[in-house]
Amino acid sequence: MNLTHLNQRGEAHMVDVADKAETRREATASGHILMKPDTLALLIDGGLPKGDVLATARIAGIQAAKRTHELIPLCHALPLSKVTVDFHLDEQNSRVEVIATCRLKGRTGVEMEALTAVSVACLTLYDMCKAVDKDMEIGAIHLDAKRGGKSGDYQRQPGAAMTPIVTGEGAAGQVSVGTRCDIDSPCVRVKFLAELRERLGVSDLTLPLDTLPSTDVGGLKSALAKRDARFTRLGEGRVLCAVNQVMALDATPITNDDEVAFFPPVTGG
Amino acid sequence: MIRVQESAFDPGSEQRQLLEGRSDIGAVVSFTGLVRDFNERPDVSALTLEHYPGMTETALGEIVAEAQARWPLQGVRLIHRVGRLSPGDPIVLVVVASAHRRAAFEACDFIMDYLKTRAPFWKKEHSNTGDYWVAERESDHRDASRWESEND
């Protein structure tokens, strides 16, 4: 493992990407800002002195993504094709979650842009709300997923506390949610459950619909097997499949944003 | 009523709630499944149950609806636990009420057979010699198929 931003003499340098192939890149990052319940209530009601907090923070995040190269020394200036910044108002935990996605067709990844968008959106939220709450805390800024490029796809595996679904010694509960699809880039969300998840070493992934030789479960299996030999296992033995939580066969069609789950025979009761 | 939960349940209290205020029920059959300390290996120290949230509730709902279509039932309560359980812990509860015993016995048996082969739960057993995922059993499928041959 090498740090690509250091040259052979250990000095910082900008990686020459001229000869890298242009591919479609996408990265999603998220973080949150913790605040007093009263502050969140004011934010929701629009009662903060500086006005529309979320709209301002969204614009700030998008602007920041575009200017990442000015902030982070060895980042390239990138012609981003898309930046989205979304907010989730989490009243239960008294915080605002910030999710940013950046995309482009180009030669370098866009995770720094997504992380910068989240960071600056959080800072802007702080600035907009600080008149009423100085104890706010920004935290948990991290990369959730990255697609495209030589180093391959990355999907953050949430920590044990956040994925109640069990592996090994874990606790129980829910399946983590994969990245979302949208109309511009139709995709299918794939989950692997129980023993299958452990054998494959992956719980969730998303796959562009246009990479499927046929838009059905059989086509999805072929596309997965082509992507990684591990997935040939899906065509072997007793592997069951559900599309949108209904049992499915190889011929079952798949459309944009469908949730397809692969799992072993059930053993409850 | 169908519930998927991590917490323990009390079969007696669940049955009382099902019967409360009813004098038309003539028979109630209750089945409680418990975690054994032996299965594929002799020294099971704990069990972890995983499920597929969303699909689980739908699948259990369909099984109960199928039972209600086959037998004249007056009440069904189905609870399945998820998470980490210890030997002796209750894991699944099926309570079926009907005017007559035969329907209650059969429907309870049917619900458990279908649950074991159709509801998306998976067991991982923890033993002193390691953890392993429980394999499906041919006998469970034979049990479930009894209900198909009789009605086809």
Side-chain angles (χ1 to χ4, degrees), chain A residues 218-246:
Chain A
L220 174 61
K221 286 183 184 173
S222 314
L224 285 166
K226 198 174 156 200
R227 177 182 153 127
D228 191 318
R230 282 177 301 165
F231 292 119
T232 51
R233 181 185 290 275
L234 298 176
E236 296 163 2
R238 294 266 291 145
V239 172
L240 307 181
C241 177
V243 174
N244 296 329
Q245 310 201 329
V246 176

Side-chain angles (χ1 to χ4, degrees), chain A residues 242-260:
Chain A
V243 174
N244 296 329
Q245 310 201 329
V246 176
M247 292 303 293
L249 301 168
D250 278 0
T252 305
I254 295 173
T255 56
N256 182 32
D257 210 27
D258 276 354
E259 175 178 293
V260 180

Side-chain angles (χ1 to χ4, degrees), chain A residues 74-200:
Chain A
L74 303 177
C75 268
H76 297 84
L78 299 179
L80 293 172
S81 62
K82 181 175 180 177
V83 182
T84 61
V85 178
D86 290 314
F87 301 99
H88 173 234
L89 304 172
D90 181 353
E91 291 184 81
Q92 202 174 356
N93 295 305
S94 191
R95 66 190 189 189
V96 178
E97 286 171 14
V98 182
I99 305 109
T101 298
C102 295
R103 187 184 296 160
L104 89 165
K105 190 169 191 310
R107 297 189 171 89
T108 88
V110 287
E111 62 269 43
M112 288 315 302
E113 283 68 18
L115 287 163
T116 303
V118 171
S119 304
V120 172
C122 284
L123 287 170
T124 305
L125 288 173
Y126 189 99
D127 181 51
M128 299 289 285
C129 303
K130 68 180 190 293
V132 297
D133 186 355
K134 293 189 173 47
D135 297 326
M136 287 178 290
E137 193 176 309
I138 293 169
I141 296 175
H142 61 258
L143 179 67
D144 292 304
K146 177 177 187 278
R147 288 210 288 264
K150 195 177 68 174
S151 62
D153 294 359
Y154 165 84
Q155 180 81 42
R156 182 182 169 88
Q157 301 298 323
M162 302 179 61
T163 42
I165 211 170
V166 290
T167 49
E169 294 291 302
Q174 306 288 314
V175 177
S176 61
V177 182
T179 33
R180 277 177 301 216
C181 306
D182 61 44
I183 296 292
D184 298 340
S185 54
C187 75
V188 52
R189 295 173 292 129
V190 189
K191 288 180 190 297
F192 305 96
L193 305 178
E195 185 173 16
L196 198 59
R197 173 187 63 243
E198 292 189 359
R199 289 200 183 277
L200 294 171

Side-chain angles (χ1 to χ4, degrees), chain B residues 108-117 140 143-144 146-147:
Chain B
C108 187
D109 200 11
F110 168 88
I111 289 171
M112 272 311 297
D113 282 347
Y114 267 37
L115 183 152
K116 288 194 81 89
T117 49
D140 288 337
D143 288 345
R146 293 181 297 153
W147 305 105

Side-chain angles (χ1 to χ4, degrees), chain A residues 164-175 191-198 238 240-242 244-247 259-261 263-269, chain B residues 6 33 48-56 58 80 82-84 91-92 112 115-124 126 131 133-137 140-141:
Chain A
I165 211 170
V166 290
T167 49
E169 294 291 302
Q174 306 288 314
V175 177
K191 288 180 190 297
F192 305 96
L193 305 178
E195 185 173 16
L196 198 59
R197 173 187 63 243
E198 292 189 359
R238 294 266 291 145
L240 307 181
C241 177
N244 296 329
Q245 310 201 329
V246 176
M247 292 303 293
E259 175 178 293
V260 180
F263 45 83
V266 301
T267 56
Chain B
E6 286 188 43
T48 315
L49 258 155
E50 175 173 331
H51 76 124
Y52 184 10
M55 184 171 174
T56 313
T58 309
H80 203 297
V82 293
R84 194 177 172 100
I91 178 169
V92 59
M112 272 311 297
L115 183 152
K116 288 194 81 89
T117 49
R118 297 186 178 200
F121 292 100
W122 300 274
K123 283 186 191 131
K124 186 177 205 179
H126 310 288
D131 300 344
W133 289 91
V134 174
E136 66 175 329
R137 286 170 194 267
D140 288 337
H141 287 276

